[in-house]
Amino acid sequence: MEQQHQRQPLAGIKIVDLTRVLSGPFCTALLSDLGAEVIKVEPPGGDEYRHVGPFEQGESALFTLMNRNKKGVVADLKNPGHLARLLELVREADVLVENFKPGVAERLGVGFAAIKAINPDIIYASISGFGQQGESSGLPAYDLVVQAMSGIMAITGEPDGEPTKVGESIADLAAGLYASWAILAALFDRQRSGEGVHLDIAMLDCLFSLMPTPVAQWMFGGEAPGRVGNRHPLSTPFGSFNAADGRVIIAVLNNRQFAALCAVMGRPGLAQDARFGSDEARTRHEPALRDLIESWLSGHSVASAIASLAAAGIPASPVLDMGEVLARARQGERRLLRTQRHARLGEIPMMTQPVRASAWASPAPATAPALGEHDAELFRP
């Protein structure tokens, strides 16, 4: 039984990683967490994330997080000798991942056609802002640009405030996550078909696909939705409310939960009030219902309100700051942060993929590579 828990589902899969910054490195980090051998190929100056802080003894935290478990080599793809030794690596690879601006990989001699010519079974994943073809394909695409163009900024923020970015580079991360999912599907497909494939992953497409709620608001003839602040656009009460000493999240999705909330508030008759008789009606009368809830909460601390709501089976929570979240992430069985032995920094906390599997190994993540650390191992003289 103990041996069963040592399996790594991607053991034996070799991935050549030509990506940099966030979307591609996040994709390949997820695959390396599952046992794939990921060979990160960097230009002589290194991945841009090596030069983005915060730093500890010259080591970038972002680079370290996104390049765990990888081997690292240096190759100047404009140098014919370097390109030749990279292509030798690619001949034996299962997957190549790149996130160059469309057209750059071809100019460097590592486009899909060139790679397929030497490795017909290759799974070749291209991550870009707007896809490999089309009028927008050549546009530069940072996360903020894609957030702005996806509509997610237009629906985030207070109704009378500015469009607001999500507090993380969500477009990059969505593309990396979808790319890893697509690569896994392609590996499975290749087992059955015997053929490789070119995967075209656009950040804009991936972020749009994570917005079913605004699409649902629009799809049956409604207007395009706008910002509603910290509440749900379709369900009420489902948002953030003021208590005596902070804010409480209350998430009510059906009439049963609403009746329970009314009872906790000492106002059971509200459940029969025509203004609040359905989710749609409650949403139409959200301001009035908010006033009633916050009137009740004004006499309660966050902790006492949550205790009362939880006892009644009503989903509720405090709004934690990142300091509290990080402290919790280092504790408990889920271990969202795990200790890594870094060759230069000693013991440091490290993110890893969050899925738990009954029969897979879950080793502590290995350190990100130093620039060119595995040149001697992986490049033939």
Side-chain angles (χ1 to χ4, degrees):
M1 179 64 71
E2 186 64 28
Q3 284 290 84
Q4 186 181 26
H5 290 268
Q6 300 308 305
R7 296 207 313 264
Q8 289 189 289
L10 295 185
I13 297 297
K14 180 178 290 187
I15 300 172
V16 173
D17 179 3
L18 300 182
T19 69
R20 69 249 190 249
V21 185
L22 186 52
S23 61
F26 179 59
C27 163
T28 53
L30 293 174
L31 300 172
S32 73
D33 286 335
L34 300 179
E37 179 187 9
V38 177
I39 303 169
K40 183 176 180 66
V41 182
E42 299 180 71
D47 185 326
E48 291 96 319
Y49 256 21
R50 287 191 184 271
H51 311 294
V52 175
F55 298 102
E56 178 68 30
Q57 299 181 41
E59 298 290 332
S60 163
L62 280 167
F63 181 86
T64 299
L65 287 171
M66 290 297 96
N67 293 283
R68 60 186 182 265
N69 300 322
K70 301 178 186 179
K71 296 179 178 179
V73 297
V74 169
D76 177 359
L77 299 186
K78 295 179 181 179
N79 179 310
H82 287 204
L83 176 60
R85 65 186 189 180
L86 171 65
L87 294 178
E88 285 302 310
L89 276 182
V90 174
R91 289 181 192 277
E92 302 173 354
D94 296 283
V95 179
L96 184 146
V97 189
E98 58 92 5
N99 64 348
F100 295 115
K101 185 177 175 181
V104 172
E106 285 75 14
R107 290 198 296 273
L108 292 173
V110 291
F112 176 62
I115 298 303
K116 183 176 174 61
I118 64 170
N119 185 342
D121 300 332
I122 196 74
I123 293 165
Y124 188 110
S126 296
I127 305 172
S128 64
F130 307 103
Q132 296 298 301
Q133 291 88 32
E135 61 181 17
S136 299
S137 64
L139 296 177
Y142 285 108
D143 177 88
L144 183 59
V145 172
V146 176
Q147 285 202 39
M149 293 185 66
S150 72
I152 200 167
M153 285 180 65
I155 62 169
T156 303
E158 293 301 321
D160 56 353
E162 295 183 3
T164 303
K165 73 179 289 292
V166 176
E168 178 52 280
S169 298
I170 190 68
D172 276 306
L173 297 172
L177 187 60
Y178 271 109
S180 68
W181 165 81
I183 288 166
L184 293 174
L187 287 167
F188 181 71
D189 176 63
R190 190 176 67 182
Q191 285 186 331
R192 297 186 299 178
S193 69
E195 297 180 357
V197 66
H198 186 190
L199 303 169
D200 178 359
I201 302 106
M203 292 166 62
L204 183 64
D205 299 353
C206 294
L207 191 50
F208 180 81
S209 77
L210 295 182
M211 294 190 290
T213 301
V215 172
Q217 290 175 265
W218 161 85
M219 68 184 289
F220 289 157
E223 295 182 0
R227 294 181 293 284
V228 296
N230 289 324
R231 69 175 179 87
H232 197 283
L234 300 176
S235 292
T236 302
F238 206 105
S240 174
F241 300 86
N242 286 311
D245 62 347
R247 299 189 72 82
V248 175
I249 298 299
I250 298 175
V252 167
L253 195 60
N254 55 52
N255 289 344
R256 177 185 59 78
Q257 290 175 338
F258 182 64
L261 172 63
C262 295
V264 169
M265 293 167 54
R267 302 284 300 273
L270 288 176
Q272 280 71 53
D273 190 314
R275 296 174 298 167
F276 311 134
S278 68
D279 202 20
E280 294 84 356
R282 291 191 291 272
T283 299
R284 287 196 302 272
H285 296 95
E286 192 274 341
L289 183 54
R290 172 175 292 275
D291 287 345
L292 291 166
I293 293 171
E294 291 190 334
S295 176
W296 170 70
L297 284 172
S298 66
H300 295 269
S301 67
V302 170
S304 66
I306 290 172
S308 297
L309 293 164
I314 300 163
S317 74
V319 180
L320 300 181
D321 63 38
M322 279 305 299
E324 295 171 292
V325 172
L326 291 166
R328 291 183 176 207
R330 302 185 74 168
Q331 303 169 356
E333 295 181 357
R334 302 302 293 185
R335 289 175 298 169
L336 297 176
L337 290 173
R338 302 191 59 189
T339 299
Q340 176 199 54
R341 179 69 185 175
H342 193 283
R344 294 165 291 285
L345 304 179
E347 299 289 334
I348 60 172
M350 178 60 55
M351 299 173 77
T352 187
Q353 67 88 21
V355 178
R356 300 291 177 260
S358 62
W360 293 353
S362 184
T367 187
L371 185 61
E373 181 176 339
H374 299 92
D375 281 358
E377 173 188 340
L378 296 170
F379 283 150
R380 296 170 186 167

